[in-house]
Structures are given as structure tokens and as C-alpha cells.
Amino acid sequence: RGVAILDKEEQLNAYQYSYGKMHYYKMLKACESLPNTLFEHDIQIVDWGCGQGVATMVYLEYINSNQKSQNITRVNLIEPSEIALKRAALHIKKMSPALSVRTINRDIDTLKLLDFKVEYNKLATIHLFSNILDVELFSMPDLLSKIISTFKGVNYFVCVSPYINDLRTSRIDTFVNRFNDEPNFEMYSN
């Protein structure tokens, strides 16, 4: 079901062939729901479990094709597969050569706060979760703790996943519900 850590180029190609269009269109639909206020901020992107970088590429393409102007200071790509991470960085640099791309070759559970160079309250952060929140291979409480303790200020979350079963969907609901009680929380699309 597309959750293995890939270590061969043939696997990357097969994954992209099998799931690429689905990832692309789900992320594009999510980008269409983003509020205009997001584009008023200088941002950094954090692409959690980025795979080959499809979520970030769709976001960059969405900005360009819709004539949105946004200063993106950095893209943080997080991925446990070294070969997928390298391909993601290559894709992003090909799309936007001037963009600062930082790769973090770890799974979510082994991330450390020092892996992020965060400029508190100076930047908004857009967190891209494409087909990762429903994966049961990491601790949701640990992820939530890392986000809350590391990313202060304005945060936008784009979370897309396929429906597999109620248990897997409940992980996404747990993630969203944690932020639901925050003072400035607003759901733009569901």
C-alpha cells in the first residue's frame, strides 16, 4: 500500500507510476482551498515524509500557475528513504533553482528539534502532509509534540490521504483535533 521505505530507483519509478497522479490531484485540490492570507506571508515549507517531493512540487506549480507571489525562504524535505529524498531535492531545485532546499534523512520518530532551523515568528510555515498522517509507522503524539514545540507563530497544514479504513482515517482526525482548540484555528476545507 505504498508505505515501504524505498531503496532502489526502480521502486521510485514504480511508486510514481502507481501513485503519482493520485498524489498530484489530491494535493492540487487541497491547494485550491488555501486562503489568500497565506500568500501574504513569507514562508518556509516543511514536507513531512516527502517521498519524491510531489507535494512541494504541486505547491510550487500552484503558485506559479495562479500568479501568486510568495517569498519562500526555505524548503525542508523530511524522508527516511535516502534515494527518494535525493530525487525530491533534485525535482525541487529543477523547478526553482534559487530556492534553499534542506534535506533531513530521518523518519518522523527519530527527528530532533535541532533538525529544524526555525526563525520564530518571522515566517509562516506551511506543513505538507501528503499520504503520511494515516501511516501507522510513527507516533502521532510524538509528531504533534515536535510541531507544537518547534513551530511557533503562523502555521498552515495541508493534509491529504486516501481513505483506506476508519482506523487509518482516525489518525488524521487525531492530528486535526489537536489543533482544533487553538485560538486562531480555522479549517479551510475538509
Side-chain angles (χ1 to χ4, degrees), residues 130-146:
S130 179
N131 294 30
I132 189 66
L133 287 176
D134 64 324
V135 174
E136 298 172 305
L137 299 176
F138 65 90
S139 165
M140 184 63 70
D142 190 44
L143 170 64
L144 289 165
S145 175
K146 287 172 184 169

Side-chain angles (χ1 to χ4, degrees), residues 61-188:
E61 181 181 293
Y62 176 78
I63 290 172
N64 292 334
S65 64
N66 289 283
Q67 289 82 41
K68 304 282 186 186
S69 176
Q70 187 164 51
N71 180 32
I72 302 171
T73 62
R74 177 178 38 255
V75 174
N76 299 285
L77 300 172
I78 303 167
E79 172 60 39
S81 165
E82 184 178 5
I83 192 168
L85 185 62
K86 287 179 179 179
R87 186 175 280 187
L90 179 70
H91 287 159
I92 304 311
K93 291 302 278 181
K94 182 70 175 168
M95 286 185 77
S96 296
L99 200 54
S100 172
V101 176
R102 185 157 193 268
T103 59
I104 303 169
N105 186 208
R106 295 185 187 267
D107 62 42
I108 291 173
D109 283 337
T110 61
L111 284 170
K112 299 183 181 350
L113 299 180
L114 296 174
D115 288 327
F116 300 99
K117 295 178 182 174
V118 180
E119 297 177 39
Y120 293 107
N121 298 320
K122 293 182 180 179
L123 298 172
T125 302
I126 183 166
H127 302 265
L128 304 178
F129 290 96
S130 179
N131 294 30
I132 189 66
L133 287 176
D134 64 324
V135 174
E136 298 172 305
L137 299 176
F138 65 90
S139 165
M140 184 63 70
D142 190 44
L143 170 64
L144 289 165
S145 175
K146 287 172 184 169
I147 290 171
I148 291 164
S149 63
T150 306
F151 298 95
K152 308 294 183 194
V154 178
N155 289 277
Y156 293 86
F157 298 93
V158 179
C159 310
V160 298
S161 286
Y163 175 80
I164 295 171
N165 60 43
D166 289 343
L167 181 62
R168 299 268 301 264
T169 300
S170 72
R171 287 180 57 85
I172 301 166
D173 295 337
T174 297
F175 182 86
V176 173
N177 289 337
R178 170 52 189 90
F179 296 102
N180 208 15
D181 295 330
E182 294 294 321
N184 295 317
F185 177 83
E186 186 173 346
M187 174 88 67
Y188 295 108

